[in-house]
Amino acid sequence: MLTPLTRKAFEQLVPAVATGAQYAYCWGKLPDLLSRVLISVVGMFAVLLVRLLILQEGFDEILLTIGITVGLYWLWGPVLWASLRNREYRKYGYCGFWQGKVLDVFISEELVGTEETVNKRGDLVVVENRERCLNLVVGDESGFSTELRVPLKRSHRAIDIGDHAEMLVFSNRGDLGRIARTSDIYLPDHNLWVSDYPAVQREAFVEISRRLDTYQPVDEPLPRTARPAQKRTPRTSAASKPSSSSSFLTRRDDSRSREFVNPGRSDWEYDQDEEPFDQDRDRPSRPSRRRPKTDW
């Protein structure tokens, strides 16, 4: 099930500036920190060298500002790289909230690097460094599926086939007909995130998920004849396969979710068939009644 989101909700879920989780991810390990410190030291020496070569006055304040900025690169560098990664998501024009299930989950070993060493006999030996990864395949009733590969963690043991999965999808088309990119995956059954890079503002994501979880998806367009209201089913019930791409949307009746749902969709309205003219009673037919429009 796919629900289009407004641009305001999109920018709340994927902020322009790095969050705390994104900063911690880009901070890296000890080798990454040492490389940033080395860049800071080299940059400060370059600024001092420029100061010695330029004997004219008036550039001291500018060089001092540049020197302090470069010297603190080891500290603000993760903010820069995380913000650049967020920009890769925010460049898309449209975003949608996707809900589906886990179709498959398996473990694989991926090559992360090679090292060359010499054994006791003096022969050159190439050592392959491999890492165990979790492969998570999610999809929905429409046939859409995607796979996410992340480093294996102990918390991934709880994942099973059939668990509910939620994520953001990004597209350059207003109808979200072609998905260009997906975000990290949230499993609400276990309150677990499966991701390599935490691109989504997780608190806002869970809040939108909680608000949208109480509504019944529209599986197919309603006919123009009156029919009794269908009883809402809980989230765990399986929905029938939609007949068209427009059935991926979710009908919203509560005004609380209107700030998240894209209002750019055309509203639906349904008419009841007019009663036939009764000549015995000699009166005009009863006018059709219209159901009020609802916002997505």
Side-chain angles (χ1 to χ4, degrees):
M1 183 174 62
L2 183 59
T3 304
L5 301 178
T6 61
R7 186 66 189 183
K8 180 180 178 181
F10 181 11
E11 295 176 353
Q12 289 178 354
L13 292 171
V14 184
V17 183
T19 61
Q22 294 170 352
Y23 181 86
Y25 176 87
C26 294
W27 179 266
K29 299 180 180 179
L30 182 60
D32 301 322
L33 175 61
L34 294 179
S35 64
R36 292 198 303 271
V37 172
L38 180 61
I39 294 175
S40 299
V41 173
V42 173
M44 292 180 64
F45 275 108
V47 172
L48 292 177
L49 180 61
V50 172
R51 176 66 184 87
L52 294 177
L53 295 178
I54 300 178
L55 301 178
Q56 298 179 359
E57 298 181 356
F59 295 94
D60 294 342
E61 297 180 357
I62 298 177
L63 293 178
L64 178 61
T65 303
I66 297 176
I68 294 176
T69 303
V70 175
L72 294 178
Y73 170 75
W74 64 272
L75 183 62
W76 58 263
V79 178
L80 173 63
W81 297 113
S83 301
L84 292 177
R85 298 194 66 166
N86 291 349
R87 184 179 179 182
E88 295 296 323
Y89 290 91
R90 293 168 62 92
K91 70 179 181 180
Y92 296 101
Y94 303 93
C95 174
F97 190 94
W98 181 89
Q99 293 175 300
K101 291 186 177 182
V102 176
L103 301 182
D104 193 10
V105 54
F106 59 95
I107 299 174
S108 63
E109 291 186 356
E110 302 297 332
L111 181 65
V112 296
T114 59
E115 295 181 0
E116 295 182 355
T117 183
V118 180
N119 58 14
K120 296 180 179 179
R121 296 180 299 179
D123 299 331
L124 181 63
V125 178
V126 178
V127 180
E128 295 182 347
N129 297 327
R130 295 185 176 272
E131 183 181 29
R132 300 186 70 188
C133 297
L134 174 75
N135 297 265
L136 185 64
V137 182
V138 296
D140 57 10
E141 299 86 352
S142 66
F144 170 79
S145 63
T146 184
E147 180 178 350
L148 178 63
R149 181 182 294 112
V150 297
L152 184 63
K153 297 181 180 180
R154 186 178 299 271
S155 59
H156 295 160
R157 294 181 178 180
I159 304 175
D160 195 5
I161 297 176
D163 292 341
H164 288 86
E166 299 175 347
M167 64 180 178
L168 296 182
V169 296
F170 307 92
S171 175
N172 288 322
R173 297 177 55 176
D175 58 353
L176 301 177
R178 178 175 298 177
I179 304 302
R181 194 166 187 173
T182 59
S183 69
D184 33 349
I185 300 176
Y186 175 61
L187 304 176
D189 296 337
H190 311 289
N191 192 23
L192 176 65
W193 286 90
V194 179
S195 64
D196 184 22
Y197 173 72
V200 179
Q201 182 73 278
R202 297 185 173 181
E203 293 78 6
F205 184 95
V206 173
E207 176 64 19
I208 293 180
S209 174
R210 183 187 64 82
R211 294 192 180 189
L212 300 184
D213 186 37
T214 58
Y215 300 99
Q216 170 69 15
V218 178
D219 295 331
E220 56 184 1
L222 297 174
R224 292 190 176 274
T225 57
R227 71 175 186 178
Q230 296 182 354
K231 184 179 179 180
R232 290 180 177 176
T233 57
R235 179 183 191 170
T236 56
S237 63
S240 60
K241 184 176 180 180
S243 58
S244 62
S245 59
S246 63
S247 58
F248 301 162
L249 307 181
T250 303
R251 191 177 182 183
R252 308 297 177 209
D253 296 329
D254 197 328
S255 59
R256 294 179 303 174
S257 65
R258 293 177 183 174
E259 58 179 316
F260 302 110
V261 181
N262 190 347
R265 304 284 179 173
S266 59
D267 296 329
W268 288 358
E269 57 181 5
Y270 309 103
D271 299 339
Q272 296 181 356
D273 292 338
E274 296 182 355
E275 295 184 359
F277 184 81
D278 192 349
Q279 297 181 358
D280 296 335
R281 291 180 293 180
D282 194 19
R283 62 179 179 84
S285 59
R286 186 170 55 187
S288 61
R289 292 176 295 179
R290 293 180 179 269
R291 296 178 59 181
K293 296 182 179 180
T294 57
D295 296 331
W296 292 93

